[in-house]
Amino acid sequence: MFQLDDNFLQQVVLGDLPADQKQAFLAYFREQLELRVGTKLSEGLSDAQLSEFEAFIDRNMEVTNQWVATNAADYQNDQVYQRLKGGAPETASENDILAEYASLRWLSINRPDYRDVVAATMEELRQEVISNKDAILGNNQAA
């Protein structure tokens, strides 16, 4: 998909930021991306759907386990689950992996356009950064 790293900063003409400010900017960008994507994906969803999805994010395992049992009982054989499990950090619990899997499966059912929404939102934010690079760098130099 995409990586928020030094290459991204080069693409948006912010590659010359000091290392500590690069990390702060990337964290801010990621936060803004998540907020905007979440807002767009929630449009048109019912309160019940939003609550169900939030349960995965909040690691409410009662809701997560029930949803998985109903909608993806054979999850352990799903390639998506296997990739998540194989790529998870050692510190990730089985519950973390299952909740992440449930959120991805839920999105594929309830918002099958979610990848397009993420890509479009990423591009919007990228263009905003490019358009405001002088202000961003100016604020950096004044600080």
Side-chain angles (χ1 to χ4, degrees):
M1 199 154 183
F2 61 86
Q3 294 288 326
L4 295 179
D5 56 14
D6 281 336
N7 290 334
F8 170 77
L9 290 172
Q10 291 295 335
Q11 292 172 9
V12 295
V13 197
L14 295 177
D16 292 335
L17 285 172
D20 62 329
Q21 292 180 0
K22 283 181 181 181
Q23 292 310 309
F25 179 81
L26 290 173
Y28 173 78
F29 189 92
R30 181 174 290 110
E31 180 181 301
Q32 288 300 306
L33 181 62
E34 289 173 358
L35 177 66
R36 292 183 188 194
V37 167
T39 300
K40 289 179 181 182
L41 288 176
S42 68
E43 293 171 0
L45 296 177
S46 70
D47 288 344
Q49 287 174 308
L50 291 173
S51 292
E52 188 172 60
F53 187 74
E54 287 172 5
F56 306 144
I57 303 305
D58 295 339
R59 301 300 190 250
N60 178 330
M61 295 316 295
E62 182 179 341
V63 173
T64 300
N65 287 326
Q66 182 179 0
W67 189 89
V68 169
T70 302
N71 295 282
D74 193 30
Y75 72 93
Q76 292 177 325
N77 293 317
D78 187 328
Q79 289 180 352
V80 172
Y81 176 80
Q82 291 173 0
R83 266 182 287 178
L84 282 172
K85 188 168 184 158
E90 289 181 21
T91 57
S93 70
E94 185 65 32
N95 285 346
D96 290 335
I97 297 166
L98 187 60
E100 184 68 20
Y101 170 77
S103 69
L104 289 172
R105 285 282 291 146
W106 188 95
L107 283 169
S108 70
I109 293 167
N110 292 284
R111 284 305 304 253
D113 64 336
Y114 77 95
R115 285 191 172 106
D116 296 335
V117 170
V118 171
T121 305
M122 174 72 172
E123 184 57 25
E124 285 172 17
L125 265 171
R126 197 174 77 73
Q127 290 303 321
E128 283 180 32
V129 170
I130 291 169
S131 296
N132 293 297
K133 70 177 172 44
D134 293 332
I136 294 167
L137 291 171
N139 288 339
N140 172 54
Q141 293 169 353

